[in-house]
Amino acid sequence: MLKAPLLAFTFLAATMLIATTAAQPVDPLAPAGHWTGATAGRAATPPMGWNSWNAFRTDVDEAKVMGTAKVLVDSGLRDLGYRYVNIDDGWWLKRRSRDGRMQVRTSIFPSAKVGGSEGSSFRPFTDKLHSMGLKAGIYTDIGGNACSQAYDLHSPNLPEGTTAERQIGLRDHVQQDIKLYFADWGFDYIKVDACGINVYGADSPVVKQYKYNVYPPLIDQASINRTNIPAVRALYQQVADALAASNPDGDYVYSICAWGAADVRSWGKDVGNLWRTSGDITPQWSRMLHTFDSASTRALYAGPGHWNDPDMLFVGHGDFDVHHLTEARTHFSLWAMINAPLIIGYDLRHAPPALMDIWSNKDIVRLNQDSGGHQAVLAYDSDDVQIFVKTLSDSGTKGVLLFNRGLVPARITVTPAQLKMVGDVALTDLWSKKTMMLAGDALTLTLQPRESRVFEARGKRQLADGMYLSEIPGAINIARDGVTVSVPDPVIHRMANPWGTTTNGGERPTYAGWGGARADATPYDQALTVDGHVFTSGIGILANSRMEVKADGFKRFQAKVGVDDSTRNLKDQVVFQVFGDGHLLAQATAAYGQPAQALAADLADVKIVELVARNAAQTSDLPLVVSWGDAALVK
Ligand code: GLA
């Protein structure tokens, strides 16, 4: 019994020895000389559209989807950008045993009944959507079975047949299914869920009761250490590769639905176009805060082509229904500001005008769809009040959102400095369209509980001829964030479990990513501070990190760098390096307790600046926090 692993170990040790003697170890912080951020797929701005789940769960059918599609076209929502019409769980009948070909449940999607050797096909369905100027999305699971097969057991639309026929997920069929969905059926978007690698373990009661194949879970949502992060990522990467192969024109969107588990908040950007940063949203205020918080501090991990996904919109339902328009507008505005995908989850065939007015607020949609792709950054944060600021790529305007999360009216004061502006600022309210002046030092507004105010701000920028890096997170790729241990993020609102009871001790932080890079804050949510000096602009990151910054058109990089006062590691020195298209331009060494040092470099024709912070000696494993204070690109 012991022999096989022992043999494997000896072989592994031998190969490692050969590898280390034959080749120099690769320096993980070496400059790439170019942008290494993922560019696959077609998601230059956050995807917009509709999905069947929040409206119908598994009770989806062709009439409902096509009725919705017609409303998207007739109401003008399509022309505002809502183009993707996505079917979620519930479309499948079975996997055909003869050749593994997936079959559509044609009793609910009649146009798929094509007969012949195919049996069923979604091609007529996607042709119809395409002829309407829309795009089509489909849903699957990364494992063998889907979420409905564990959680919607009373659904009439669960897959049918033998155990093998009910294996409708991608497991062992990645190439075949992706080719079928994209090359043959013509879909443009896929959401890949993760229940198949989460809830089908040997001891699961549904596995026994429904005779599903056992899949030892790769994800343990309660424990990041018991989650096999590399294995989960590798499975999602296989799908990414198959999508690229089946879509030579590159026109596809890949949505990773692993609920913030398996550290996807860190690697999602390198594998897919959007990745869920949390468990499911529900139409409850407190749950909306939870999913929002899971994405709102991750601005540096998103940008054109890759987006944090706090889940689909629940506007129209529950706490966000037509009787709660304050909450509905807030939910929508928050999603717009943090560049979340705007995926409507309502039965649009019966949508009252007050709700249509929300989705079709073109000014708020414009914030979300701005081509710069800069997710809003927190200018003020607390459990009660938040202020978000979002750089727009046009003539220097910004989106600003004031948010009262609390239970009582809040007086919120906003200053030009929080917008990184100076002097008077004109604020146009994007709901009322009225403009008011932020004249002088500050403007104070009173917001009702759950109210938000969204403005477009026009004024003189603090850096008249440049940009602080924290103003342009969409132009930054965090190639390495220095995080070596996956730690659950503790600063996310914890709603009482909407599906369970209050008997289990409480809701624990579970989404890894704590310690990741932050704009205008340290990785552990402190103010950027070096030797007592606070920087209101800058990037906070751990040492042993490398960032890539798009610098085209700028002449100079400048920053004040140092070890942040909040560091746990007080001993080690940091070497800060600035590279331009792979060449070393400037360097400084710093230690805890030393004042910030100026670091600057001229950028003649440089396309990509790389910022490396390296622990010089690594005598301690404690996290070494560094600040790139006032880091900016200047013209
Ligand atoms: C999971 C996903 C949801 C939805 C359902 C379908 O819960 O997170 O968005 O797709 O599965 O069963």
Side-chain angles (χ1 to χ4, degrees):
M1 282 296 279
L2 272 174
K3 272 190 184 147
L6 250 184
L7 200 67
F9 177 76
T10 322
F11 176 73
L12 197 71
T15 35
M16 275 166 69
L17 199 67
I18 294 165
T20 38
T21 46
Q24 288 293 323
V26 182
D27 175 7
L29 300 177
H34 60 274
W35 182 261
T36 65
T39 53
R42 185 80 38 96
T45 58
M48 291 174 67
W50 178 88
N51 174 294
S52 55
W53 183 252
N54 286 350
F56 302 118
R57 288 190 77 96
T58 55
D59 192 15
V60 57
D61 66 36
E62 190 162 8
K64 289 171 178 163
V65 179
M66 283 304 169
T68 297
K70 188 170 179 318
V71 176
L72 287 175
V73 175
D74 295 346
S75 65
L77 285 175
R78 175 199 64 186
D79 295 340
L80 263 182
Y82 295 92
R83 302 262 297 282
Y84 289 95
V85 175
N86 299 344
I87 316 170
D88 209 275
D89 206 339
W91 62 264
W92 26 44
L93 181 67
K94 63 175 160 193
R95 186 180 292 286
R96 193 159 72 183
S97 39
R98 140 159 77 88
D99 54 3
R101 187 186 170 95
M102 283 295 300
Q103 295 296 313
V104 182
R105 184 180 293 273
T106 55
S107 58
I108 54 174
F109 286 97
S111 77
K113 196 170 180 180
V114 294
S117 63
E118 294 173 80
S120 60
S121 166
F122 262 134
R123 184 50 97 161
F125 173 82
T126 65
D127 280 350
K128 173 82 181 142
L129 288 174
H130 290 147
S131 76
M132 298 167 78
L134 295 164
K135 291 194 170 269
I138 193 164
Y139 169 90
T140 185
D141 194 282
I142 195 74
N145 295 97
C147 294
S148 57
Q149 292 175 298
Y151 296 117
D152 282 69
L153 296 167
H154 301 297
S155 165
N157 294 332
L158 291 183
E160 293 174 6
T162 62
T163 294
E165 285 171 326
R166 287 180 288 127
Q167 290 248 142
I168 41 61
L170 292 174
R171 184 182 180 183
D172 301 330
H173 294 275
V174 173
Q175 311 297 333
Q176 180 183 20
D177 287 1
I178 296 297
K179 179 181 171 298
L180 178 69
Y181 301 160
F182 285 82
D184 301 347
W185 288 353
F187 280 99
D188 311 289
Y189 184 119
I190 191 161
K191 171 175 166 185
V192 184
D193 218 326
C195 284
I197 57 171
N198 181 222
V199 290
Y200 293 96
D203 53 358
S204 152
V206 284
V207 166
K208 289 179 193 136
Q209 190 186 344
Y210 289 83
K211 298 192 170 54
Y212 295 129
N213 279 328
V214 169
Y215 194 109
L218 297 175
I219 291 175
D220 181 337
Q221 284 180 272
S223 168
I224 190 68
N225 284 346
R226 290 169 59 80
T227 294
N228 189 337
I229 298 171
V232 175
R233 178 173 175 164
L235 285 177
Y236 276 100
Q237 184 61 48
Q238 273 178 23
V239 179
D241 295 342
L243 283 165
S246 282
N247 289 280
D249 66 354
D251 187 0
Y252 64 91
V253 174
Y254 179 20
S255 159
I256 297 174
C257 183
W259 332 294
D263 199 26
V264 67
R265 300 198 314 158
S266 306
W267 55 259
K269 70 186 177 70
D270 300 312
V271 179
N273 301 115
L274 56 150
W275 54 95
R276 283 273 301 278
T277 52
S278 71
D280 288 9
I281 193 170
T282 67
Q284 287 157 291
W285 176 257
S286 186
R287 188 68 184 174
M288 185 278 290
L289 291 180
H290 173 84
T291 75
F292 176 70
D293 288 356
S294 72
S296 68
T297 57
R298 304 289 292 178
L300 285 168
Y301 292 80
H306 47 278
W307 310 104
N308 292 307
D309 177 8
D311 206 355
M312 302 173 287
L313 295 167
F314 242 129
V315 169
H317 303 270
D319 290 349
F320 314 102
D321 71 7
V322 74
H323 307 295
H324 299 87
L325 292 175
T326 297
E327 286 84 348
R329 287 196 194 108
T330 291
H331 174 18
F332 187 67
S333 307
L334 291 172
W335 260 234
M337 285 289 286
I338 64 162
N339 290 347
L342 298 181
I343 307 290
I344 297 169
Y346 192 80
D347 182 354
L348 288 180
R349 298 170 307 168
H350 308 292
L355 293 179
M356 293 301 282
D357 288 348
I358 293 179
W359 300 304
S360 55
N361 183 324
K362 64 178 191 334
D363 291 319
I364 300 215
V365 167
R366 185 167 47 84
L367 293 183
N368 178 264
Q369 294 292 299
D370 182 78
S371 63
H374 306 302
Q375 177 173 327
V377 169
L378 276 156
Y380 178 82
D381 192 20
S382 70
D383 286 340
D384 306 314
V385 167
Q386 291 181 313
I387 301 176
F388 285 92
V389 180
K390 180 185 203 302
T391 302
L392 301 175
S393 57
D394 61 5
S395 53
T397 58
K398 293 198 167 187
V400 182
L401 182 138
L402 316 183
F403 180 23
N404 179 6
R405 300 163 62 107
L407 298 171
V408 292
R411 278 168 61 78
I412 305 182
T413 301
V414 60
T415 67
Q418 287 177 313
L419 315 184
K420 303 194 198 298
M421 291 183 175
V422 287
D424 294 351
V425 180
L427 294 174
T428 304
D429 185 309
L430 298 184
W431 290 106
S432 73
K433 317 295 178 192
K434 291 197 182 116
T435 297
M436 66 178 97
M437 289 308 289
L438 197 183
D441 291 348
L443 175 72
T444 300
L445 298 170
T446 300
L447 270 67
Q448 295 308 307
R450 300 181 172 181
E451 190 187 6
S452 61
R453 298 287 299 270
V454 200
F455 302 100
E456 183 163 329
R458 269 168 224 285
K460 209 166 146 235
R461 305 168 34 71
Q462 261 176 12
L463 273 187
D465 59 350
M467 294 301 242
Y468 289 116
L469 296 195
S470 60
E471 292 182 280
I472 50 168
I476 299 174
N477 178 42
I478 302 296
R480 292 184 77 89
D481 62 12
V483 175
T484 53
V485 181
S486 293
V487 179
D489 187 335
V491 293
I492 294 172
H493 176 83
R494 295 174 295 151
M495 181 198 180
N497 184 348
W499 301 282
T501 65
T502 55
T503 55
N504 67 347
E507 293 305 300
R508 315 293 186 186
T510 55
Y511 310 128
W514 185 234
R518 290 283 302 270
D520 294 344
T522 75
Y524 301 117
D525 206 28
Q526 305 290 313
L528 297 167
T529 315
V530 178
D531 194 31
H533 178 86
V534 175
F535 291 96
T536 52
S537 292
I539 304 292
I541 195 166
L542 297 182
N544 293 336
S545 56
R546 182 172 70 82
M547 297 181 262
E548 299 162 1
V549 187
K550 290 180 182 163
D552 213 5
F554 291 98
K555 292 222 165 58
R556 196 171 158 77
F557 168 82
Q558 60 193 40
K560 294 190 187 112
V561 299
V563 172
D564 193 274
D565 289 358
S566 67
T567 188
R568 268 72 157 166
N569 177 344
L570 306 179
K571 289 200 314 196
D572 288 335
Q573 290 194 325
V574 179
V575 179
F576 292 85
Q577 293 175 312
V578 180
F579 295 88
D581 293 341
H583 304 288
L584 183 64
L585 302 179
Q587 178 166 320
T589 304
Y592 171 71
Q594 293 176 353
Q597 300 173 49
L599 190 59
D602 288 329
L603 307 174
D605 294 327
V606 165
K607 301 265 180 296
I608 301 293
V609 165
E610 286 170 76
L611 304 176
V612 173
R614 188 190 295 268
N615 184 329
Q618 194 87 50
T619 64
S620 162
D621 283 338
L622 290 172
L624 183 48
V625 179
V626 306
S627 283
W628 294 83
D630 286 342
L633 292 169
V634 184
K635 292 227 161 112

